[in-house]
Amino acid sequence: MKRHDWSDIRGQLQARHAVPEVADAAAFRDRLSRRLEGVRPSSAPAPAVGTGTLMFALAAGLLLLAGAGAGVWSMIARPDAAESRGLAARGRTVESVETPAGSGFLIVSDPRRKATMILVSGLNKE
Amino acid sequence: MNQDQKGIQEQLDRARAGDRDAFAELFEPYRPLVTRIAIRLVGPDASDDVVVDTCVKGWQALPRFEGTEALGRWWCRIVRNAALDELRRLRRREEALPTQEPLATLEDDGLDDPLARVADPGAPSPAQLAERKELGELIERALAKLGEDHRTAILLREVDGLEYRQIAQATGVSIGTVMSRLFHARRRLRRLIEEEQAHETA
């Protein structure tokens, strides 16, 4: 059995898995510019965790603990406004909560399934 | 501070002041690197979104970037976070995880074109081309059997040419772990290729 040089193996990997040239810079810049519309840079270093954030985290934790095995489920995600609207359109009750530190919680309830979902972190705003 | 660093510092200052063009200029040299990492972490289909998300995260985090860290490593860390977010979204939507499908294939292996050899006497012989093709297929099968971490490390290093430090930032592990992964990945890949070869000749 022939033992192949690593350089042969590397050559084959490069031939088969090389990433194509990245998209045109101008097109990418246009797309990026549109995406950055209305997105502000965070103006300061992230503040220390405040009382409000702790209270929300505590409430979320309690809700999860209380709900274990009782039809309550959770999901860590990064919801955006469109998803919030989509959830609402599907009959969920959506409550948006923002902490003083700027992070967000969405508390989503599904009355039919008697389930509650908490979506946290980075709630986008429009 | 040399001229390049001055230029980058000026772009950083302008971008921090809200100049999106300056920010795009700042990102452009790192776009191929970020794109490669995104492709390895989430697959080619979702990589475009991850690259844009990386920029958005970078834009938001820019005021906290103190310039003490090399920009390349900063982007490597951000693209990893963006990729993890994307994977969570994909899982949530119960879509398939990245399959690391071959991005480019040898469409024309030259086996059926003897004239090409006449035109270029230095070109590989049909036997060599067939051997290469066979090796390529063996490697593909072996690569598919490699664990996700090992496959990602191998591709980032051997195909994309990333430095150990960049791979460490992009995959969220220490440089030591990257070196260890690469060592074991190469050894395992070679063994798998030999197994495939043995299987074929049996």
Side-chain angles (χ1 to χ4, degrees), chain B residues 35-74:
Chain B
T35 302
R36 288 189 184 107
I37 295 172
I39 287 175
R40 300 307 171 206
L41 296 181
V42 301
D45 292 343
S47 62
D48 279 355
D49 287 341
V50 170
V51 174
V52 175
D53 284 349
T54 300
C55 280
V56 174
K57 282 178 185 288
W59 174 252
Q60 289 173 317
L62 202 56
R64 295 196 296 275
F65 178 68
E66 291 171 3
T68 52
E69 185 181 11
L71 265 173
R73 292 204 298 279
W74 189 65

Side-chain angles (χ1 to χ4, degrees), chain A residues 49-62 99-100 105:
Chain A
V49 177
T51 315
T53 306
L54 282 175
M55 285 184 67
F56 279 116
L58 187 61
L62 284 173
T99 69
F105 289 78

